[in-house]
Amino acid sequence: MERPELSGRIPRSTGNVTLPRAFSKLGVCSRTQAEAFIAAGRVRVNGRKVADAAMWVDPKRDRIELDGEPIVASEKVYLALNKPRGLVTTRTDPEGRPTVFECLKDLDLPFVSPVGRLDKASEGLLLFTNDTALAQRLLDPETHVKKLYHVQVRGIPSEEDLQRMTSGVVHDGEMLQATAVRLLRAGDKNCWLEVELDEGKNRQIRRILEVIGLEVLRLIRVAIGDLVLGDLPKGSARHLTAAEVRALQSQTAMKPG
């Protein structure tokens, strides 16, 4: 028996999500793309054509169709990319700038999204997945998953500068701090720092160093939790191992599997 069409007032506590969110959770497409499919009359729920992108559905119980074909959850995919400098972390860019998805274009993948962002000038480890639950947990500040960065700066910071980075500085009215900082190596005019964060505020390291008066020359993320960038070539991506996925799930307090 078909379920009746769901109301847009179904409460979140029942486990329902909006229809565009269902497309995203199932790894079919982005919410923006789903909204376009709905507006074009290409989506049915329990046999009825849907015109309202705000309606709520249960992805596990409702039959959702696109162009007459039921959408089903894609197999979970977990990728690590060594992001090159100069790419923006978005699927499409209104300014026409190259994006991180150009590094994935030759891979046979379901719909995946980046977990968080690295700004255009930053490099290193960037995760992609269609596992929205894990992605949300990795981004949740309450899980305190550590991110490790190697940062080249112009100048040599003093011990007081390094202490300020961990005690906290104020930038644009916002308190910013690193959980740990250490000097990796130093030359005559610049040095490399290892900086650890457990939250993901926008351009956090760059803003901290700006307050201290140090110019960032390079910023490379080298680890997320126990997952390390290693020797993955720049611009290349690889699938995470089952053990790596379980480790990330464990670090975000998710039940493995």
Side-chain angles (χ1 to χ4, degrees), residues 86-102 117-120:
L87 301 182
V88 293
T89 307
T90 185
R91 186 170 301 276
T92 57
D93 182 68
E95 299 177 28
R97 296 173 296 180
T99 80
V100 291
F101 282 90
E102 296 191 16
R117 293 176 180 268
L118 285 174
D119 63 40
K120 181 181 176 183

Side-chain angles (χ1 to χ4, degrees), residues 80-82 125 221-222 227-238 244:
L81 169 70
N82 186 349
L125 182 59
R221 184 157 62 194
V222 297
L227 180 67
V228 298
L229 178 63
D231 57 1
L232 183 65
K234 191 161 294 187
S236 296
R238 68 170 180 85
E244 289 172 328

Side-chain angles (χ1 to χ4, degrees), residues 53-101:
M55 78 172 293
W56 290 72
V57 297
D58 184 340
K60 294 182 179 180
R61 298 177 60 195
D62 289 305
R63 180 181 175 85
I64 305 170
E65 297 174 85
L66 175 63
D67 296 334
E69 295 294 328
I71 66 170
V72 295
S74 300
E75 180 180 356
K76 293 292 187 288
V77 172
Y78 309 87
L79 293 172
L81 169 70
N82 186 349
K83 175 192 175 295
R85 190 171 184 168
L87 301 182
V88 293
T89 307
T90 185
R91 186 170 301 276
T92 57
D93 182 68
E95 299 177 28
R97 296 173 296 180
T99 80
V100 291
F101 282 90

Side-chain angles (χ1 to χ4, degrees), residues 201-229:
K201 294 180 180 177
N202 184 43
R203 302 181 73 252
Q204 186 168 347
I205 294 176
R206 295 182 187 276
R207 293 164 66 196
I208 291 173
L209 290 169
E210 180 183 332
V211 172
I212 292 174
L214 294 171
E215 178 187 356
V216 175
L217 301 177
R218 289 184 70 187
L219 192 155
I220 307 168
R221 184 157 62 194
V222 297
I224 298 174
D226 293 334
L227 180 67
V228 298
L229 178 63

Side-chain angles (χ1 to χ4, degrees), residues 94-171:
E95 299 177 28
R97 296 173 296 180
T99 80
V100 291
F101 282 90
E102 296 191 16
C103 299
L104 309 181
K105 62 184 179 182
D106 294 328
L107 301 179
D108 184 14
L109 298 171
F111 176 82
V112 295
S113 296
V115 181
R117 293 176 180 268
L118 285 174
D119 63 40
K120 181 181 176 183
S122 298
E123 312 165 49
L125 182 59
L126 184 62
L127 293 179
F128 291 80
T129 187
N130 55 358
D131 186 341
T132 55
L134 178 58
Q136 289 169 357
R137 293 294 293 166
L138 286 169
L139 296 173
D140 189 337
E142 294 186 2
T143 61
H144 298 290
V145 176
K146 301 292 190 291
K147 284 85 173 178
L148 197 64
Y149 301 80
H150 287 176
V151 188
Q152 184 185 35
V153 300
R154 192 184 307 282
I156 311 297
S158 65
E159 188 63 34
E160 181 183 355
D161 290 332
L162 300 184
Q163 290 177 359
R164 287 184 67 195
M165 292 181 70
T166 55
S167 62
V169 302
V170 177
H171 183 281

